[in-house]
Amino acid sequence: MRGGVSTAALAPRRSLPSLERYGRHREATARWLLRSIERGRGGSCAHFSLAGGWSRPYPETTGYLIPTLFALEDEVPSLGPRAPALVLGGWLASIQNADGSWNGGLHPARRPRPSVFNTGQILKGMAALFDATGEERWLEAARRGARWLAAGVGAEGLWSGRDYRASETPSYYTHAAWPMLEVWKRTGEEPLRDAAERFLARVLARRRENGSFERWGFGDSPRAFTHTIAYTLRGLLESARILGDWERYGAPAADALERLLKKAELAGGWLPGELDGEWHATSSAVCLTGSAQTAINLLLWERQEPDLRIVNAAAKLVDRVCETQHVEHPIAGVRGAVAGSWPLWGGYMTLRYPNWAAKYHADALTMLERRLAAEAERAA
């Protein structure tokens, strides 16, 4: 150990106040997510805002909310999150395009257009549904989506002309390559692995000496929200796990994770929400989604390189997100929600509470609680 949480200071799980507090925040977050589904007209609402109320449903984030709901079934079974997960899966299957893709944007899309990134995120939900139920229909939907993604990867290893804002496929699309590998793992279809690895190779070639990656933001600017920075790193970490190749895919993310860890530590968990290619803060606001995602990435990294210093940094990030969350609030759309930015008027999802912020907060809380509980049991 190089610093951080002391094992001697950790008590058995049932007496750890931090774990009890995390449990309260997770339950409030879970209730908000279920509320977003109740209001979602099939899917989960993209966000809630005080000005506009609940938005239309968002297929992309509805897709990767499904694994979170299955995980919450183990943590808060009284809320019954499994049934909504199945409902969301049925809705997503009903709006899948004939070619296997899903459209971008909120549903119904005003200008329907198949989306690489959105399709990738929905694959995670389809794979989770297959794992939970064993029903082939979910794997078939995932297979069709993954085949469409693989067919779009050109000889240069990029998805040409199918980007959100950038002139060339952004690096955070590692978060779309990862679910392609999830489908490959379940089907054995080698073209899926080949296409994913070709894209990952292009991203790895964009790694700078300081550990950052070119094109890991929404556009062509070197500035990026911690949200897309975390997407980029998560895609690499998960690909390393699936392929069993830490040195090729996981180790290149370690320098960036170390940088983020130090920034989080120095700021007491208030990680700057936007950074440039030289790791300078370009915003004074916090991207709460990115903070939760970074905590997840740190905990994934720590599984490979055990170090309580890393766990401590993840806990600080999670604690700060908890501080901004209203576990009790008279407005149902705010109660248990996680804002896009802190302060609310920051540049990421300004004045809105996105469902993906709540999703990642729930995931981070669960991962952190399990890690701390395991450490407490070892120290007891």
Side-chain angles (χ1 to χ4, degrees), residues 140-151:
E140 178 57 26
R143 182 187 287 113
R144 290 173 55 221
R147 286 174 177 172
W148 179 82
L149 287 174

Side-chain angles (χ1 to χ4, degrees), residues 267-301:
W270 295 110
L271 183 67
E274 188 179 62
L275 301 164
D276 66 17
E278 299 301 320
W279 296 103
H280 299 135
T282 53
S283 170
S284 60
V286 176
C287 172
L288 296 175
T289 308
S291 291
Q293 290 174 272
T294 299
I296 292 168
N297 285 342
L298 291 175
L299 292 169
L300 290 173
W301 176 37

Side-chain angles (χ1 to χ4, degrees), residues 180-181 184 189-198 243 248:
M180 292 171 66
L181 293 172
W184 162 76
E189 293 192 20
E190 287 301 321
L192 305 182
R193 172 176 177 165
D194 175 68
E197 288 202 275
R198 283 190 288 121
L243 294 168
R248 177 176 295 182

Side-chain angles (χ1 to χ4, degrees), residues 28-40 42-49 53-66 68-69 72 88 91-92 105-107 121-122 227 231 288-289 292-293 325 333 336-340 348-349 352-363:
T29 308
R31 289 183 182 278
W32 186 90
L33 287 170
L34 294 174
R35 219 169 290 133
S36 79
I37 296 167
E38 292 169 1
R39 302 296 188 98
S44 169
C45 297
H47 56 77
F48 175 84
S49 74
W54 294 97
S55 76
R56 288 178 287 141
Y58 195 11
E60 174 201 333
T61 55
T62 295
Y64 65 33
L65 178 56
I66 291 172
T68 299
L69 293 173
L72 287 171
L88 296 182
W91 178 72
L92 288 168
L106 306 188
H107 184 82
Q121 308 324 297
I122 295 169
H227 173 49
Y231 266 161
L288 296 175
T289 308
Q293 290 174 272
Q325 185 184 33
V338 177
Y348 183 74
M349 292 297 293
R352 285 168 287 178
Y353 297 87
N355 69 350
W356 56 98
K359 174 260 189 321
Y360 285 116
H361 187 46
D363 291 346

